PDB file of all heavy atoms in Angstrom:
ATOM      1  N   ARG Y  24      -2.384  10.050 -13.111  1.00 78.00           N
ATOM      2  CA  ARG Y  24      -2.443   9.197 -11.880  1.00 78.00           C
ATOM      3  C   ARG Y  24      -2.741  10.154 -10.756  1.00 78.00           C
ATOM      4  O   ARG Y  24      -2.463  11.349 -10.780  1.00 78.00           O
ATOM      5  CB  ARG Y  24      -1.124   8.518 -11.640  1.00 78.00           C
ATOM      6  CG  ARG Y  24      -0.820   7.421 -12.631  1.00 78.00           C
ATOM      7  CD  ARG Y  24       0.478   6.671 -12.344  1.00 78.00           C
ATOM      8  NE  ARG Y  24       1.644   7.589 -12.378  1.00 78.00           N
ATOM      9  CZ  ARG Y  24       2.311   7.825 -13.543  1.00 78.00           C
ATOM     10  NH1 ARG Y  24       1.872   7.377 -14.689  1.00 78.00           N
ATOM     11  NH2 ARG Y  24       3.348   8.618 -13.483  1.00 78.00           N
ATOM     12  N   PRO Y  25      -3.324   9.667  -9.675  1.00 82.00           N
ATOM     13  CA  PRO Y  25      -3.649  10.516  -8.545  1.00 82.00           C
ATOM     14  C   PRO Y  25      -2.396  11.096  -7.882  1.00 82.00           C
ATOM     15  O   PRO Y  25      -1.407  10.362  -7.719  1.00 82.00           O
ATOM     16  CB  PRO Y  25      -4.340   9.584  -7.502  1.00 82.00           C
ATOM     17  CG  PRO Y  25      -4.721   8.350  -8.270  1.00 82.00           C
ATOM     18  CD  PRO Y  25      -3.772   8.277  -9.431  1.00 82.00           C
ATOM     19  N   SER Y  26      -2.372  12.363  -7.594  1.00 85.00           N
ATOM     20  CA  SER Y  26      -1.327  12.979  -6.878  1.00 85.00           C
ATOM     21  C   SER Y  26      -1.507  12.666  -5.401  1.00 85.00           C
ATOM     22  O   SER Y  26      -2.532  12.192  -4.975  1.00 85.00           O
ATOM     23  CB  SER Y  26      -1.288  14.482  -7.122  1.00 85.00           C
ATOM     24  OG  SER Y  26      -2.541  15.090  -6.735  1.00 85.00           O
ATOM     25  N   THR Y  27      -0.478  12.901  -4.637  1.00 91.00           N
ATOM     26  CA  THR Y  27      -0.468  12.712  -3.170  1.00 91.00           C
ATOM     27  C   THR Y  27      -1.060  13.907  -2.457  1.00 91.00           C
ATOM     28  O   THR Y  27      -0.666  15.014  -2.757  1.00 91.00           O
ATOM     29  CB  THR Y  27       0.958  12.367  -2.669  1.00 91.00           C
ATOM     30  OG1 THR Y  27       1.442  11.225  -3.371  1.00 91.00           O
ATOM     31  CG2 THR Y  27       0.923  12.041  -1.214  1.00 91.00           C
ATOM     32  N   VAL Y  28      -1.945  13.647  -1.532  1.00 91.00           N
ATOM     33  CA  VAL Y  28      -2.483  14.689  -0.682  1.00 91.00           C
ATOM     34  C   VAL Y  28      -1.909  14.479   0.736  1.00 91.00           C
ATOM     35  O   VAL Y  28      -1.906  13.304   1.223  1.00 91.00           O
ATOM     36  CB  VAL Y  28      -4.010  14.627  -0.596  1.00 91.00           C
ATOM     37  CG1 VAL Y  28      -4.581  15.682   0.384  1.00 91.00           C
ATOM     38  CG2 VAL Y  28      -4.630  14.868  -1.965  1.00 91.00           C
ATOM     39  N   PHE Y  29      -1.384  15.495   1.337  1.00 94.00           N
ATOM     40  CA  PHE Y  29      -0.710  15.353   2.631  1.00 94.00           C
ATOM     41  C   PHE Y  29      -1.634  15.795   3.758  1.00 94.00           C
ATOM     42  O   PHE Y  29      -2.349  16.790   3.620  1.00 94.00           O
ATOM     43  CB  PHE Y  29       0.539  16.201   2.651  1.00 94.00           C
ATOM     44  CG  PHE Y  29       1.488  15.915   1.502  1.00 94.00           C
ATOM     45  CD1 PHE Y  29       1.611  16.782   0.418  1.00 94.00           C
ATOM     46  CD2 PHE Y  29       2.227  14.742   1.514  1.00 94.00           C
ATOM     47  CE1 PHE Y  29       2.470  16.465  -0.616  1.00 94.00           C
ATOM     48  CE2 PHE Y  29       3.114  14.412   0.483  1.00 94.00           C
ATOM     49  CZ  PHE Y  29       3.217  15.305  -0.576  1.00 94.00           C
ATOM     50  N   LEU Y  30      -1.607  14.984   4.823  1.00 95.00           N
ATOM     51  CA  LEU Y  30      -2.388  15.342   6.050  1.00 95.00           C
ATOM     52  C   LEU Y  30      -1.385  15.614   7.179  1.00 95.00           C
ATOM     53  O   LEU Y  30      -0.452  14.929   7.385  1.00 95.00           O
ATOM     54  CB  LEU Y  30      -3.270  14.216   6.502  1.00 95.00           C
ATOM     55  CG  LEU Y  30      -4.443  13.823   5.591  1.00 95.00           C
ATOM     56  CD1 LEU Y  30      -5.202  12.682   6.166  1.00 95.00           C
ATOM     57  CD2 LEU Y  30      -5.347  14.986   5.292  1.00 95.00           C
ATOM     58  N   SER Y  31      -1.698  16.650   7.923  1.00 96.00           N
ATOM     59  CA  SER Y  31      -0.947  17.002   9.174  1.00 96.00           C
ATOM     60  C   SER Y  31      -1.906  17.389  10.265  1.00 96.00           C
ATOM     61  O   SER Y  31      -2.918  18.023   9.925  1.00 96.00           O
ATOM     62  CB  SER Y  31       0.036  18.124   8.941  1.00 96.00           C
ATOM     63  OG  SER Y  31       1.050  17.811   8.002  1.00 96.00           O
ATOM     64  N   GLY Y  32      -1.602  17.025  11.482  1.00 97.00           N
ATOM     65  CA  GLY Y  32      -2.467  17.482  12.570  1.00 97.00           C
ATOM     66  C   GLY Y  32      -2.311  16.610  13.827  1.00 97.00           C
ATOM     67  O   GLY Y  32      -1.802  15.494  13.756  1.00 97.00           O
ATOM     68  N   ASP Y  33      -2.720  17.138  14.872  1.00 97.00           N
ATOM     69  CA  ASP Y  33      -2.598  16.471  16.180  1.00 97.00           C
ATOM     70  C   ASP Y  33      -3.893  15.752  16.606  1.00 97.00           C
ATOM     71  O   ASP Y  33      -3.971  15.114  17.638  1.00 97.00           O
ATOM     72  CB  ASP Y  33      -2.197  17.449  17.314  1.00 97.00           C
ATOM     73  CG  ASP Y  33      -0.807  18.009  17.043  1.00 97.00           C
ATOM     74  OD1 ASP Y  33       0.026  17.252  16.439  1.00 97.00           O
ATOM     75  OD2 ASP Y  33      -0.550  19.160  17.459  1.00 97.00           O
ATOM     76  N   ASP Y  34      -4.941  15.885  15.803  1.00 97.00           N
ATOM     77  CA  ASP Y  34      -6.223  15.295  16.143  1.00 97.00           C
ATOM     78  C   ASP Y  34      -6.517  14.108  15.148  1.00 97.00           C
ATOM     79  O   ASP Y  34      -6.847  14.331  13.991  1.00 97.00           O
ATOM     80  CB  ASP Y  34      -7.336  16.338  16.017  1.00 97.00           C
ATOM     81  CG  ASP Y  34      -8.740  15.859  16.421  1.00 97.00           C
ATOM     82  OD1 ASP Y  34      -9.036  14.678  16.208  1.00 97.00           O
ATOM     83  OD2 ASP Y  34      -9.490  16.720  16.914  1.00 97.00           O
ATOM     84  N   ALA Y  35      -6.325  12.927  15.653  1.00 96.00           N
ATOM     85  CA  ALA Y  35      -6.425  11.685  14.802  1.00 96.00           C
ATOM     86  C   ALA Y  35      -7.828  11.607  14.165  1.00 96.00           C
ATOM     87  O   ALA Y  35      -7.993  11.245  13.036  1.00 96.00           O
ATOM     88  CB  ALA Y  35      -6.065  10.467  15.629  1.00 96.00           C
ATOM     89  N   GLU Y  36      -8.865  11.896  14.950  1.00 98.00           N
ATOM     90  CA  GLU Y  36     -10.242  11.819  14.409  1.00 98.00           C
ATOM     91  C   GLU Y  36     -10.448  12.834  13.317  1.00 98.00           C
ATOM     92  O   GLU Y  36     -11.069  12.507  12.286  1.00 98.00           O
ATOM     93  CB  GLU Y  36     -11.247  12.042  15.599  1.00 98.00           C
ATOM     94  CG  GLU Y  36     -12.680  11.929  15.136  1.00 98.00           C
ATOM     95  CD  GLU Y  36     -13.052  10.581  14.588  1.00 98.00           C
ATOM     96  OE1 GLU Y  36     -12.478   9.546  14.956  1.00 98.00           O
ATOM     97  OE2 GLU Y  36     -13.966  10.523  13.677  1.00 98.00           O
ATOM     98  N   ALA Y  37      -9.937  14.033  13.450  1.00 97.00           N
ATOM     99  CA  ALA Y  37     -10.064  15.024  12.399  1.00 97.00           C
ATOM    100  C   ALA Y  37      -9.379  14.568  11.127  1.00 97.00           C
ATOM    101  O   ALA Y  37      -9.901  14.733  10.040  1.00 97.00           O
ATOM    102  CB  ALA Y  37      -9.480  16.371  12.831  1.00 97.00           C
ATOM    103  N   LYS Y  38      -8.215  13.942  11.234  1.00 97.00           N
ATOM    104  CA  LYS Y  38      -7.511  13.478  10.086  1.00 97.00           C
ATOM    105  C   LYS Y  38      -8.257  12.320   9.439  1.00 97.00           C
ATOM    106  O   LYS Y  38      -8.343  12.215   8.205  1.00 97.00           O
ATOM    107  CB  LYS Y  38      -6.069  13.059  10.439  1.00 97.00           C
ATOM    108  CG  LYS Y  38      -5.187  14.229  10.697  1.00 97.00           C
ATOM    109  CD  LYS Y  38      -3.680  13.906  10.654  1.00 97.00           C
ATOM    110  CE  LYS Y  38      -3.254  13.120  11.848  1.00 97.00           C
ATOM    111  NZ  LYS Y  38      -1.795  12.935  11.874  1.00 97.00           N
ATOM    112  N   ARG Y  39      -8.901  11.440  10.230  1.00 96.00           N
ATOM    113  CA  ARG Y  39      -9.730  10.388   9.651  1.00 96.00           C
ATOM    114  C   ARG Y  39     -10.898  11.018   8.851  1.00 96.00           C
ATOM    115  O   ARG Y  39     -11.284  10.490   7.791  1.00 96.00           O
ATOM    116  CB  ARG Y  39     -10.229   9.431  10.725  1.00 96.00           C
ATOM    117  CG  ARG Y  39      -9.218   8.352  11.136  1.00 96.00           C
ATOM    118  CD  ARG Y  39      -9.834   7.299  11.987  1.00 96.00           C
ATOM    119  NE  ARG Y  39     -10.251   7.811  13.320  1.00 96.00           N
ATOM    120  CZ  ARG Y  39      -9.463   7.942  14.335  1.00 96.00           C
ATOM    121  NH1 ARG Y  39      -8.136   7.646  14.235  1.00 96.00           N
ATOM    122  NH2 ARG Y  39      -9.932   8.387  15.486  1.00 96.00           N
ATOM    123  N   THR Y  40     -11.515  12.048   9.424  1.00 97.00           N
ATOM    124  CA  THR Y  40     -12.613  12.713   8.813  1.00 97.00           C
ATOM    125  C   THR Y  40     -12.206  13.289   7.470  1.00 97.00           C
ATOM    126  O   THR Y  40     -12.842  13.137   6.433  1.00 97.00           O
ATOM    127  CB  THR Y  40     -13.237  13.810   9.696  1.00 97.00           C
ATOM    128  OG1 THR Y  40     -13.693  13.185  10.868  1.00 97.00           O
ATOM    129  CG2 THR Y  40     -14.327  14.573   8.970  1.00 97.00           C
ATOM    130  N   VAL Y  41     -11.051  13.986   7.441  1.00 96.00           N
ATOM    131  CA  VAL Y  41     -10.556  14.623   6.197  1.00 96.00           C
ATOM    132  C   VAL Y  41     -10.250  13.514   5.194  1.00 96.00           C
ATOM    133  O   VAL Y  41     -10.594  13.659   4.023  1.00 96.00           O
ATOM    134  CB  VAL Y  41      -9.339  15.464   6.502  1.00 96.00           C
ATOM    135  CG1 VAL Y  41      -8.671  15.921   5.176  1.00 96.00           C
ATOM    136  CG2 VAL Y  41      -9.726  16.718   7.321  1.00 96.00           C
ATOM    137  N   ALA Y  42      -9.548  12.410   5.647  1.00 96.00           N
ATOM    138  CA  ALA Y  42      -9.278  11.337   4.687  1.00 96.00           C
ATOM    139  C   ALA Y  42     -10.579  10.781   4.129  1.00 96.00           C
ATOM    140  O   ALA Y  42     -10.663  10.427   2.916  1.00 96.00           O
ATOM    141  CB  ALA Y  42      -8.482  10.265   5.408  1.00 96.00           C
ATOM    142  N   GLY Y  43     -11.638  10.673   4.914  1.00 96.00           N
ATOM    143  CA  GLY Y  43     -12.937  10.157   4.422  1.00 96.00           C
ATOM    144  C   GLY Y  43     -13.546  11.092   3.429  1.00 96.00           C
ATOM    145  O   GLY Y  43     -14.058  10.663   2.402  1.00 96.00           O
ATOM    146  N   LEU Y  44     -13.455  12.415   3.663  1.00 95.00           N
ATOM    147  CA  LEU Y  44     -13.990  13.404   2.725  1.00 95.00           C
ATOM    148  C   LEU Y  44     -13.243  13.344   1.413  1.00 95.00           C
ATOM    149  O   LEU Y  44     -13.827  13.425   0.357  1.00 95.00           O
ATOM    150  CB  LEU Y  44     -13.864  14.781   3.298  1.00 95.00           C
ATOM    151  CG  LEU Y  44     -14.825  15.043   4.501  1.00 95.00           C
ATOM    152  CD1 LEU Y  44     -14.477  16.401   5.117  1.00 95.00           C
ATOM    153  CD2 LEU Y  44     -16.300  15.047   4.041  1.00 95.00           C
ATOM    154  N   LEU Y  45     -11.900  13.152   1.491  1.00 92.00           N
ATOM    155  CA  LEU Y  45     -11.124  13.031   0.259  1.00 92.00           C
ATOM    156  C   LEU Y  45     -11.559  11.811  -0.524  1.00 92.00           C
ATOM    157  O   LEU Y  45     -11.651  11.833  -1.723  1.00 92.00           O
ATOM    158  CB  LEU Y  45      -9.616  12.981   0.585  1.00 92.00           C
ATOM    159  CG  LEU Y  45      -9.021  14.272   1.065  1.00 92.00           C
ATOM    160  CD1 LEU Y  45      -7.645  14.036   1.688  1.00 92.00           C
ATOM    161  CD2 LEU Y  45      -8.954  15.302  -0.051  1.00 92.00           C
ATOM    162  N   GLY Y  46     -11.831  10.720   0.214  1.00 92.00           N
ATOM    163  CA  GLY Y  46     -12.362   9.531  -0.443  1.00 92.00           C
ATOM    164  C   GLY Y  46     -13.690   9.757  -1.083  1.00 92.00           C
ATOM    165  O   GLY Y  46     -13.949   9.298  -2.202  1.00 92.00           O
ATOM    166  N   ASP Y  47     -14.542  10.512  -0.479  1.00 92.00           N
ATOM    167  CA  ASP Y  47     -15.882  10.872  -1.023  1.00 92.00           C
ATOM    168  C   ASP Y  47     -15.690  11.636  -2.311  1.00 92.00           C
ATOM    169  O   ASP Y  47     -16.589  11.605  -3.185  1.00 92.00           O
ATOM    170  CB  ASP Y  47     -16.671  11.687  -0.008  1.00 92.00           C
ATOM    171  CG  ASP Y  47     -17.153  10.830   1.185  1.00 92.00           C
ATOM    172  OD1 ASP Y  47     -17.031   9.606   1.145  1.00 92.00           O
ATOM    173  OD2 ASP Y  47     -17.619  11.453   2.161  1.00 92.00           O
ATOM    174  N   LEU Y  48     -14.610  12.404  -2.445  1.00 87.00           N
ATOM    175  CA  LEU Y  48     -14.378  13.177  -3.619  1.00 87.00           C
ATOM    176  C   LEU Y  48     -13.693  12.369  -4.730  1.00 87.00           C
ATOM    177  O   LEU Y  48     -13.418  12.822  -5.840  1.00 87.00           O
ATOM    178  CB  LEU Y  48     -13.416  14.384  -3.323  1.00 87.00           C
ATOM    179  CG  LEU Y  48     -14.037  15.447  -2.428  1.00 87.00           C
ATOM    180  CD1 LEU Y  48     -12.998  16.435  -2.010  1.00 87.00           C
ATOM    181  CD2 LEU Y  48     -15.229  16.152  -3.196  1.00 87.00           C
ATOM    182  N   GLY Y  49     -13.465  11.040  -4.450  1.00 85.00           N
ATOM    183  CA  GLY Y  49     -12.923  10.156  -5.469  1.00 85.00           C
ATOM    184  C   GLY Y  49     -11.415   9.914  -5.339  1.00 85.00           C
ATOM    185  O   GLY Y  49     -10.815   9.245  -6.181  1.00 85.00           O
ATOM    186  N   ARG Y  50     -10.831  10.425  -4.299  1.00 87.00           N
ATOM    187  CA  ARG Y  50      -9.403  10.256  -4.126  1.00 87.00           C
ATOM    188  C   ARG Y  50      -9.133   8.879  -3.549  1.00 87.00           C
ATOM    189  O   ARG Y  50      -9.663   8.507  -2.489  1.00 87.00           O
ATOM    190  CB  ARG Y  50      -8.859  11.318  -3.214  1.00 87.00           C
ATOM    191  CG  ARG Y  50      -7.355  11.262  -3.145  1.00 87.00           C
ATOM    192  CD  ARG Y  50      -6.717  12.604  -2.836  1.00 87.00           C
ATOM    193  NE  ARG Y  50      -7.034  13.676  -3.749  1.00 87.00           N
ATOM    194  CZ  ARG Y  50      -6.335  13.855  -4.856  1.00 87.00           C
ATOM    195  NH1 ARG Y  50      -5.350  13.062  -5.176  1.00 87.00           N
ATOM    196  NH2 ARG Y  50      -6.606  14.850  -5.567  1.00 87.00           N
ATOM    197  N   PRO Y  51      -8.252   8.060  -4.175  1.00 90.00           N
ATOM    198  CA  PRO Y  51      -7.950   6.727  -3.592  1.00 90.00           C
ATOM    199  C   PRO Y  51      -7.237   6.855  -2.253  1.00 90.00           C
ATOM    200  O   PRO Y  51      -6.459   7.802  -2.054  1.00 90.00           O
ATOM    201  CB  PRO Y  51      -6.981   6.136  -4.632  1.00 90.00           C
ATOM    202  CG  PRO Y  51      -7.076   6.975  -5.850  1.00 90.00           C
ATOM    203  CD  PRO Y  51      -7.594   8.345  -5.406  1.00 90.00           C
ATOM    204  N   ALA Y  52      -7.521   5.910  -1.390  1.00 92.00           N
ATOM    205  CA  ALA Y  52      -6.888   5.915  -0.008  1.00 92.00           C
ATOM    206  C   ALA Y  52      -5.369   5.954  -0.063  1.00 92.00           C
ATOM    207  O   ALA Y  52      -4.728   6.619   0.715  1.00 92.00           O
ATOM    208  CB  ALA Y  52      -7.368   4.750   0.808  1.00 92.00           C
ATOM    209  N   ASP Y  53      -4.772   5.259  -1.057  1.00 91.00           N
ATOM    210  CA  ASP Y  53      -3.308   5.243  -1.116  1.00 91.00           C
ATOM    211  C   ASP Y  53      -2.694   6.532  -1.641  1.00 91.00           C
ATOM    212  O   ASP Y  53      -1.514   6.679  -1.757  1.00 91.00           O
ATOM    213  CB  ASP Y  53      -2.826   4.047  -1.951  1.00 91.00           C
ATOM    214  CG  ASP Y  53      -3.126   4.132  -3.431  1.00 91.00           C
ATOM    215  OD1 ASP Y  53      -3.928   4.989  -3.853  1.00 91.00           O
ATOM    216  OD2 ASP Y  53      -2.609   3.307  -4.198  1.00 91.00           O
ATOM    217  N   SER Y  54      -3.532   7.525  -1.993  1.00 91.00           N
ATOM    218  CA  SER Y  54      -2.987   8.811  -2.427  1.00 91.00           C
ATOM    219  C   SER Y  54      -2.980   9.841  -1.251  1.00 91.00           C
ATOM    220  O   SER Y  54      -2.530  10.952  -1.423  1.00 91.00           O
ATOM    221  CB  SER Y  54      -3.822   9.412  -3.597  1.00 91.00           C
ATOM    222  OG  SER Y  54      -5.092   9.836  -3.140  1.00 91.00           O
ATOM    223  N   VAL Y  55      -3.452   9.410  -0.087  1.00 95.00           N
ATOM    224  CA  VAL Y  55      -3.456  10.274   1.090  1.00 95.00           C
ATOM    225  C   VAL Y  55      -2.310   9.842   2.007  1.00 95.00           C
ATOM    226  O   VAL Y  55      -2.205   8.706   2.411  1.00 95.00           O
ATOM    227  CB  VAL Y  55      -4.797  10.174   1.871  1.00 95.00           C
ATOM    228  CG1 VAL Y  55      -4.761  11.050   3.067  1.00 95.00           C
ATOM    229  CG2 VAL Y  55      -5.970  10.589   0.911  1.00 95.00           C
ATOM    230  N   LEU Y  56      -1.394  10.777   2.360  1.00 96.00           N
ATOM    231  CA  LEU Y  56      -0.210  10.458   3.144  1.00 96.00           C
ATOM    232  C   LEU Y  56      -0.270  11.287   4.404  1.00 96.00           C
ATOM    233  O   LEU Y  56      -0.222  12.499   4.369  1.00 96.00           O
ATOM    234  CB  LEU Y  56       1.041  10.812   2.354  1.00 96.00           C
ATOM    235  CG  LEU Y  56       2.387  10.467   3.038  1.00 96.00           C
ATOM    236  CD1 LEU Y  56       2.472   9.016   3.483  1.00 96.00           C
ATOM    237  CD2 LEU Y  56       3.535  10.885   2.115  1.00 96.00           C
ATOM    238  N   ASP Y  57      -0.346  10.641   5.525  1.00 97.00           N
ATOM    239  CA  ASP Y  57      -0.394  11.254   6.843  1.00 97.00           C
ATOM    240  C   ASP Y  57       1.052  11.489   7.237  1.00 97.00           C
ATOM    241  O   ASP Y  57       1.809  10.596   7.458  1.00 97.00           O
ATOM    242  CB  ASP Y  57      -1.095  10.360   7.880  1.00 97.00           C
ATOM    243  CG  ASP Y  57      -1.277  10.998   9.218  1.00 97.00           C
ATOM    244  OD1 ASP Y  57      -0.578  12.010   9.500  1.00 97.00           O
ATOM    245  OD2 ASP Y  57      -2.034  10.444  10.019  1.00 97.00           O
ATOM    246  N   LEU Y  58       1.449  12.782   7.357  1.00 96.00           N
ATOM    247  CA  LEU Y  58       2.790  13.174   7.669  1.00 96.00           C
ATOM    248  C   LEU Y  58       3.048  13.216   9.185  1.00 96.00           C
ATOM    249  O   LEU Y  58       4.159  13.334   9.611  1.00 96.00           O
ATOM    250  CB  LEU Y  58       3.143  14.486   7.042  1.00 96.00           C
ATOM    251  CG  LEU Y  58       3.090  14.566   5.547  1.00 96.00           C
ATOM    252  CD1 LEU Y  58       3.482  15.977   5.051  1.00 96.00           C
ATOM    253  CD2 LEU Y  58       4.040  13.588   4.906  1.00 96.00           C
ATOM    254  N   GLY Y  59       2.015  13.170   9.946  1.00 97.00           N
ATOM    255  CA  GLY Y  59       2.172  13.239  11.417  1.00 97.00           C
ATOM    256  C   GLY Y  59       1.535  14.409  12.032  1.00 97.00           C
ATOM    257  O   GLY Y  59       0.523  14.891  11.564  1.00 97.00           O
ATOM    258  N   GLY Y  60       2.136  14.944  13.114  1.00 97.00           N
ATOM    259  CA  GLY Y  60       1.609  16.072  13.844  1.00 97.00           C
ATOM    260  C   GLY Y  60       1.575  17.391  13.141  1.00 97.00           C
ATOM    261  O   GLY Y  60       2.033  17.521  11.991  1.00 97.00           O
ATOM    262  N   ILE Y  61       0.995  18.355  13.777  1.00 96.00           N
ATOM    263  CA  ILE Y  61       0.784  19.661  13.194  1.00 96.00           C
ATOM    264  C   ILE Y  61       2.098  20.344  12.769  1.00 96.00           C
ATOM    265  O   ILE Y  61       2.093  21.114  11.838  1.00 96.00           O
ATOM    266  CB  ILE Y  61      -0.071  20.589  14.137  1.00 96.00           C
ATOM    267  CG1 ILE Y  61      -0.588  21.823  13.366  1.00 96.00           C
ATOM    268  CG2 ILE Y  61       0.760  20.984  15.342  1.00 96.00           C
ATOM    269  CD1 ILE Y  61      -1.590  21.498  12.342  1.00 96.00           C
ATOM    270  N   ALA Y  62       3.162  19.995  13.406  1.00 96.00           N
ATOM    271  CA  ALA Y  62       4.471  20.587  13.033  1.00 96.00           C
ATOM    272  C   ALA Y  62       4.856  20.289  11.612  1.00 96.00           C
ATOM    273  O   ALA Y  62       5.595  21.025  10.957  1.00 96.00           O
ATOM    274  CB  ALA Y  62       5.560  20.153  14.011  1.00 96.00           C
ATOM    275  N   THR Y  63       4.352  19.177  11.050  1.00 95.00           N
ATOM    276  CA  THR Y  63       4.692  18.810   9.669  1.00 95.00           C
ATOM    277  C   THR Y  63       3.942  19.694   8.646  1.00 95.00           C
ATOM    278  O   THR Y  63       4.279  19.608   7.464  1.00 95.00           O
ATOM    279  CB  THR Y  63       4.397  17.344   9.387  1.00 95.00           C
ATOM    280  OG1 THR Y  63       3.002  17.090   9.517  1.00 95.00           O
ATOM    281  CG2 THR Y  63       5.171  16.435  10.346  1.00 95.00           C
ATOM    282  N   ALA Y  64       2.941  20.460   9.061  1.00 93.00           N
ATOM    283  CA  ALA Y  64       2.205  21.316   8.182  1.00 93.00           C
ATOM    284  C   ALA Y  64       3.114  22.414   7.579  1.00 93.00           C
ATOM    285  O   ALA Y  64       2.817  22.873   6.513  1.00 93.00           O
ATOM    286  CB  ALA Y  64       1.023  21.934   8.924  1.00 93.00           C
ATOM    287  N   ARG Y  65       4.161  22.767   8.247  1.00 92.00           N
ATOM    288  CA  ARG Y  65       5.006  23.799   7.764  1.00 92.00           C
ATOM    289  C   ARG Y  65       5.598  23.413   6.389  1.00 92.00           C
ATOM    290  O   ARG Y  65       5.688  24.266   5.498  1.00 92.00           O
ATOM    291  CB  ARG Y  65       6.185  23.996   8.754  1.00 92.00           C
ATOM    292  CG  ARG Y  65       7.088  25.124   8.433  1.00 92.00           C
ATOM    293  CD  ARG Y  65       6.414  26.444   8.728  1.00 92.00           C
ATOM    294  NE  ARG Y  65       7.415  27.491   8.642  1.00 92.00           N
ATOM    295  CZ  ARG Y  65       7.088  28.756   8.593  1.00 92.00           C
ATOM    296  NH1 ARG Y  65       5.859  29.102   8.690  1.00 92.00           N
ATOM    297  NH2 ARG Y  65       8.020  29.671   8.479  1.00 92.00           N
ATOM    298  N   GLY Y  66       5.953  22.199   6.227  1.00 89.00           N
ATOM    299  CA  GLY Y  66       6.482  21.699   4.947  1.00 89.00           C
ATOM    300  C   GLY Y  66       5.444  21.829   3.797  1.00 89.00           C
ATOM    301  O   GLY Y  66       5.743  22.222   2.697  1.00 89.00           O
ATOM    302  N   GLN Y  67       4.177  21.563   4.162  1.00 88.00           N
ATOM    303  CA  GLN Y  67       3.115  21.669   3.188  1.00 88.00           C
ATOM    304  C   GLN Y  67       2.882  23.105   2.759  1.00 88.00           C
ATOM    305  O   GLN Y  67       2.574  23.388   1.624  1.00 88.00           O
ATOM    306  CB  GLN Y  67       1.849  21.123   3.809  1.00 88.00           C
ATOM    307  CG  GLN Y  67       1.907  19.640   3.974  1.00 88.00           C
ATOM    308  CD  GLN Y  67       0.601  19.084   4.589  1.00 88.00           C
ATOM    309  OE1 GLN Y  67      -0.440  19.204   3.998  1.00 88.00           O
ATOM    310  NE2 GLN Y  67       0.754  18.505   5.749  1.00 88.00           N
ATOM    311  N   GLU Y  68       3.053  24.039   3.697  1.00 88.00           N
ATOM    312  CA  GLU Y  68       2.937  25.434   3.357  1.00 88.00           C
ATOM    313  C   GLU Y  68       3.993  25.859   2.341  1.00 88.00           C
ATOM    314  O   GLU Y  68       3.702  26.630   1.435  1.00 88.00           O
ATOM    315  CB  GLU Y  68       3.094  26.295   4.596  1.00 88.00           C
ATOM    316  CG  GLU Y  68       1.901  26.122   5.610  1.00 88.00           C
ATOM    317  CD  GLU Y  68       2.175  26.716   6.997  1.00 88.00           C
ATOM    318  OE1 GLU Y  68       3.241  27.287   7.165  1.00 88.00           O
ATOM    319  OE2 GLU Y  68       1.255  26.601   7.791  1.00 88.00           O
ATOM    320  N   HIS Y  69       5.164  25.336   2.462  1.00 88.00           N
ATOM    321  CA  HIS Y  69       6.251  25.632   1.508  1.00 88.00           C
ATOM    322  C   HIS Y  69       5.998  24.929   0.147  1.00 88.00           C
ATOM    323  O   HIS Y  69       6.553  25.379  -0.877  1.00 88.00           O
ATOM    324  CB  HIS Y  69       7.605  25.243   2.039  1.00 88.00           C
ATOM    325  CG  HIS Y  69       8.034  26.137   3.152  1.00 88.00           C
ATOM    326  ND1 HIS Y  69       8.436  27.423   2.995  1.00 88.00           N
ATOM    327  CD2 HIS Y  69       8.068  25.947   4.496  1.00 88.00           C
ATOM    328  CE1 HIS Y  69       8.720  27.966   4.145  1.00 88.00           C
ATOM    329  NE2 HIS Y  69       8.521  27.060   5.097  1.00 88.00           N
ATOM    330  N   TYR Y  70       5.211  23.913   0.136  1.00 86.00           N
ATOM    331  CA  TYR Y  70       4.872  23.257  -1.124  1.00 86.00           C
ATOM    332  C   TYR Y  70       4.224  24.219  -2.130  1.00 86.00           C
ATOM    333  O   TYR Y  70       4.433  24.074  -3.290  1.00 86.00           O
ATOM    334  CB  TYR Y  70       3.960  22.077  -0.872  1.00 86.00           C
ATOM    335  CG  TYR Y  70       3.321  21.471  -2.103  1.00 86.00           C
ATOM    336  CD1 TYR Y  70       4.162  20.691  -2.987  1.00 86.00           C
ATOM    337  CD2 TYR Y  70       2.012  21.707  -2.427  1.00 86.00           C
ATOM    338  CE1 TYR Y  70       3.594  20.201  -4.121  1.00 86.00           C
ATOM    339  CE2 TYR Y  70       1.471  21.153  -3.599  1.00 86.00           C
ATOM    340  CZ  TYR Y  70       2.294  20.383  -4.438  1.00 86.00           C
ATOM    341  OH  TYR Y  70       1.771  19.888  -5.567  1.00 86.00           O
TER     342      TYR Y  70
END
């Protein structure tokens, strides 16, 4: 099943672009989870 891809950032348009690119790669929209602002990226680094 598709794993979850996490998005973090303060630029909403940039996150929409990345989500669109992930869709172009075949990733379902429900597998992309927007965690919020750039501060949430720290958790992804620990992932």
